[in-house]
Amino acid sequence: MTATLPNVITALRLVMVPVAVILLIMDGGQDGAERWWALILVLLASLTDWLDGYLARRWNVVSSFGKLADPIADKALVLGILAALVWVDGIPWWPLAILIVREVGVTVGRLAVAKGVVIPASRGGKIKTVLQMTAICMYLVPGMPGWFDAIAWWVLVAAVVVAVITGVDYARMISRAARDHREGKNATDHDASRSATGGSEN
């Protein structure tokens, strides 16, 4: 139970994503009960993001699944809610477009090298997530004045800037991991070839 609970919490966060998106779309920008429930779910999802990592470290049960699934759950939550906000509230679409390109690129790259090495979330990536969640939660609060939404907008822009910077850093790490994996594989193949020929070279 101890070994699987953090992963169960991560999976639960993934389930919260479509529910929160559906509630936000159902509200349709009317600032009704559905929007409040969407906000509550997003806040709970943020709490589970902290909780699963805390439990995994406390119980020393950090897993490859958790290292990969946890950031994927974060990305699904952020991109899903942002897409709903673009649709319902009409916030500018370009931050969402940049974040989609960045998150898809990083996720695909991490999965591509997952056999050789698991690349965990960086500190910059965590800062980006905090900024994103702050902006989203501010946007979700019903009935706020225009200046409040303006602050949310600039927090979102800051999140996009951090996302681009950390995306470049992740690309470097993924490229290095892929190169090291290829070099290690080539060295192994070379050793195996030498063993097969008696270890002699002519």
Side-chain angles (χ1 to χ4, degrees):
M1 180 64 178
T2 297
T4 59
L5 183 57
N7 290 341
V8 171
I9 294 173
T10 299
L12 180 61
R13 186 158 75 258
L14 279 169
V15 173
M16 291 180 185
V17 175
V19 177
V21 169
I22 291 170
L23 286 170
L24 189 55
I25 292 175
M26 286 174 58
D27 179 71
Q30 299 303 308
D31 291 346
E34 291 90 350
R35 193 178 186 102
W36 279 111
W37 280 112
L39 173 59
I40 290 170
L41 279 178
V42 170
L43 291 172
L44 285 174
S46 299
L47 177 61
T48 64
D49 183 27
W50 169 83
L51 182 61
D52 59 8
Y54 170 78
L55 292 178
R57 290 188 298 271
R58 180 178 177 85
W59 294 338
N60 195 27
V61 290
V62 177
S63 65
S64 295
F65 170 83
K67 287 182 178 180
L68 286 173
D70 184 67
I72 288 174
D74 294 338
K75 291 169 176 52
L77 178 66
V78 169
L79 297 179
I81 297 297
L82 268 182
L85 286 170
V86 169
W87 178 267
V88 172
D89 289 356
I91 69 173
W93 59 268
W94 62 263
L96 174 64
I98 292 174
L99 290 174
I100 288 175
V101 172
R102 188 269 191 195
E103 304 298 13
V104 170
V106 170
T107 300
V108 170
R110 292 170 77 175
L111 290 174
V113 299
K115 266 190 176 179
V117 60
V118 174
I119 299 177
S122 67
R123 179 171 297 181
K126 292 177 181 178
I127 292 172
K128 175 215 57 163
T129 299
V130 170
L131 289 171
Q132 288 174 335
M133 295 306 300
T134 300
I136 284 173
C137 289
M138 291 179 71
Y139 271 122
L140 286 176
V141 178
M144 289 294 101
W147 62 265
F148 191 82
D149 283 349
I151 294 175
W153 166 251
W154 286 110
V155 174
L156 180 59
V157 170
V160 171
V161 171
V162 176
V164 172
I165 294 171
T166 56
V168 172
D169 189 45
Y170 273 121
R172 254 198 326 264
M173 288 190 290
I174 291 167
S175 176
R176 185 167 59 246
R179 185 176 63 251
D180 291 345
H181 180 66
R182 283 195 304 270
E183 291 174 354
K185 186 176 183 301
N186 290 339
T188 301
D189 291 344
H190 179 67
D191 291 342
S193 176
R194 290 192 60 187
S195 297
T197 58
S200 62
E201 291 183 1
N202 297 320

